[in-house]
Amino acid sequence: MLVALDWGTSNLRAYLMSAEGDVVETRRAARRILHLQEPGGAAGFEQAFADVAGDWVRSHSTLSV
């Protein structure tokens, strides 16, 4: 399994993909890359990622990001 992100100026899009490259699930959040909520910097990126895909990471122990 793999998590792929398309993080642009308007939205964060996350794709959970199978080992074969099929999209299993998609999510979208209004978390623009240049306007992250507090905390800023790396912590802001980590929090936004955790919000959109954290449960995928927790439920798939071998998941690549």
Side-chain angles (χ1 to χ4, degrees):
M1 301 290 283
L2 167 78
V3 171
L5 300 178
D6 177 8
W7 206 338
T9 57
S10 60
N11 290 294
L12 166 59
R13 288 164 296 277
Y15 305 90
L16 180 63
M17 302 177 73
S18 71
E20 294 76 30
D22 298 317
V23 176
V24 176
E25 187 177 346
T26 61
R27 295 183 179 164
R28 181 177 170 176
R31 303 292 296 266
R32 303 179 318 169
I33 199 164
L34 296 177
H35 297 91
L36 292 174
Q37 298 174 357
E38 293 295 328
F45 289 111
E46 291 170 9
Q47 184 61 54
F49 176 77
D51 291 347
V52 77
D55 62 323
W56 290 343
V57 173
R58 289 186 297 277
S59 64
H60 300 281
S61 62
T62 60
L63 188 67
S64 296
V65 177

